[in-house]
Amino acid sequence: DFARIEALRSIKIAILDTGIDAFHPDLSSAIEGGETFVGGDWRFDWVGHGTLIAGMVAGAHGGFAPGARLYVGKVLKDNHTPQSAKTASSNGSGGDLAAAITWAIDKGVDIITMCVWHDRYDDRVYTAVMNAITRGIIIIATARRATG
């Protein structure tokens, strides 16, 4: 209903992923800003995953928060694919992810979503996540068990 959509317009959500198709008609008006932490341009999503997540979150036609304001942090490189996800060459570093989380905090977001693959613990990421949580920011992150 209209009241719910109006309430969602004040929610700020960070999408930390492969970037976004900033010209997508369902998303372009929701984007407040972005930053790249791994090179390339955050406004182009050659992989498509960040755009997929942004559409699920704030897409004008089917997102669960269609009035939300998006802040996009590119933390995965343009060569990131499901097959390359296990290699450091497609992922940003823990430092890149920590910097993106800190950037999102500084933007005043309410929610941070992260779809990333890192196979080892990183103090910088832990510290950034804890900083977000202590500020009341909701963290939505994928989890995957490393095998082998």
Side-chain angles (χ1 to χ4, degrees):
D1 70 348
F2 184 74
R4 178 178 167 262
I5 292 172
E6 282 303 309
L8 292 173
R9 291 192 196 287
S10 64
I11 294 177
K12 297 179 181 179
I13 302 174
I15 308 289
L16 307 183
D17 207 296
T18 58
I20 193 169
D21 176 356
F23 307 99
H24 192 290
D26 280 0
L27 300 171
S28 60
S29 64
I31 300 168
E32 289 292 313
E35 185 71 42
T36 185
F37 298 89
V38 293
D41 190 335
W42 65 269
R43 293 169 288 214
F44 296 98
D45 183 5
W46 301 111
V47 178
H49 194 268
T51 302
L52 170 72
I53 298 300
M56 291 170 53
V57 170
H61 299 95
F64 66 80
R69 312 310 303 151
L70 298 179
Y71 292 83
V72 180
K74 184 180 181 87
V75 297
L76 297 170
K77 297 177 182 177
D78 290 336
N79 66 336
H80 182 84
T81 65
Q83 294 76 30
S84 70
K86 297 178 185 174
T87 69
S89 65
S90 68
N91 293 314
S93 69
D96 297 329
L97 181 57
I101 295 167
T102 301
W103 169 81
I105 293 168
D106 292 344
K107 292 297 179 184
V109 302
D110 303 295
I111 300 170
I112 297 173
T113 69
M114 298 181 282
C115 295
V116 297
W117 169 278
H118 287 278
D119 61 354
R120 44 185 64 88
Y121 174 83
D122 191 302
D123 280 325
R124 298 166 297 183
V125 174
Y126 175 81
T127 299
V129 167
M130 292 310 294
N131 285 339
I133 290 170
T134 60
R135 287 169 172 79
I137 297 170
I138 297 168
I139 303 288
I140 301 172
T142 57
R144 185 164 193 256
R145 184 176 65 88
T147 59

